[in-house]
């Protein structure tokens, strides 16, 4: 498991003084993709009305629009809570952008308390994300919230 404290420090260093969300999220996706092991996609979908729109990411090209309530990302935004899915094949309505993906972690982002989008991380391994990973990455998301 990565040192999530150090990851948070790196995120703060990258975000300090940056006032453009797209730039923050682009660097955050690169940091996650290059730090986390066994991850094939790491990035963001941004809420536009009732639709999640593809934002900065690292990995294979992905679907551009996801309706709230659809897939793992849309479910996370509709519920306003983290979705940790050990086997995406058993998740009703999972949207397969990369058929190699087996497990997924989706964490809602908020700006000034209002839903802003989601952080989405995919892995080719089943059950890649532990409770500890979830806790570390939720802290990461809370730091991002503070810069949005
Ligand atoms: N699997 C997601 C779609 C986004 S991709 O994984 C990048 C979902 O079911 O919402």
């Amino acid at each position: 498991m990565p040192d999530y404290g150090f990851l948070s420090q790196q995120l703060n260093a990258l975000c300090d003084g940056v006032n453009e969300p797209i730039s923050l999220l682009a660097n955050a996706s690169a940091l996650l993709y290059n730090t986390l092991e066994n991850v094939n996609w790491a990035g963001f979908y941004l809420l536009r009305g009732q639709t999640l729109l593809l934002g900065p990411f690292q990995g294979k090209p992905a679907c551009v629009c996801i309706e709230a309530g659809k897939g793992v990302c849309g479910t996370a935004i509709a519920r306003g809570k983290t979705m940790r899915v050990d086997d995406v094949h058993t998740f009703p309505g999972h949207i397969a952008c990369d058929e190699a993906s087996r497990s997924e972690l989706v964490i809602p982002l908020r700006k000034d308390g209002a839903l802003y989008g989601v952080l989405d991380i995919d892995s080719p391994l089943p059950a890649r994300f532990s409770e500890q990973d979830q806790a570390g990455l939720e802290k990461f998301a809370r730091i991002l919230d503070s810069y949005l």
Side-chain angles (χ1 to χ4, degrees):
M1 200 168 67
D3 178 343
Y4 282 111
F6 182 54
L7 192 66
S8 292
Q9 278 178 30
Q10 289 176 297
L11 180 64
N12 272 310
L14 286 170
C15 293
D16 187 36
V18 179
N19 294 313
E20 170 53 55
I22 295 297
S23 308
L24 296 169
L25 299 177
N27 264 339
S29 66
L31 178 61
L32 290 172
Y33 191 77
N34 287 287
T35 302
L36 301 176
E37 290 180 354
N38 297 310
V39 156
N40 61 329
W41 203 91
F44 299 91
Y45 280 89
L46 309 179
L47 193 59
R48 298 286 184 268
Q50 287 300 301
T51 303
L52 286 166
L53 186 68
L54 182 63
F57 71 95
Q58 303 270 305
K60 288 189 179 172
C63 50
V64 173
C65 292
I66 300 174
E67 293 303 314
K70 303 286 184 194
V72 184
C73 293
T75 301
I77 205 83
R79 294 185 187 172
K81 61 172 240 191
T82 297
M83 299 295 299
R84 183 160 56 93
V85 179
D86 285 344
D87 181 356
V88 295
H89 294 162
T90 66
F91 189 91
H94 168 253
I95 300 162
C97 293
D98 180 345
E99 63 183 26
S101 296
R102 289 298 309 280
S103 58
E104 183 161 2
L105 183 70
V106 180
I107 303 173
L109 296 179
R110 287 184 172 78
K111 177 180 178 167
D112 300 328
L115 286 169
Y116 181 89
V118 297
L119 164 61
D120 180 18
I121 310 175
D122 288 7
S123 171
L125 299 185
R128 156 69 180 82
F129 304 102
S130 66
E131 275 180 38
Q132 288 76 16
D133 289 311
Q134 179 176 337
L137 290 162
E138 283 175 336
K139 277 189 195 145
F140 187 94
R142 298 294 73 81
I143 293 169
L144 273 176
D145 287 351
S146 70
Y147 288 100
L148 290 172

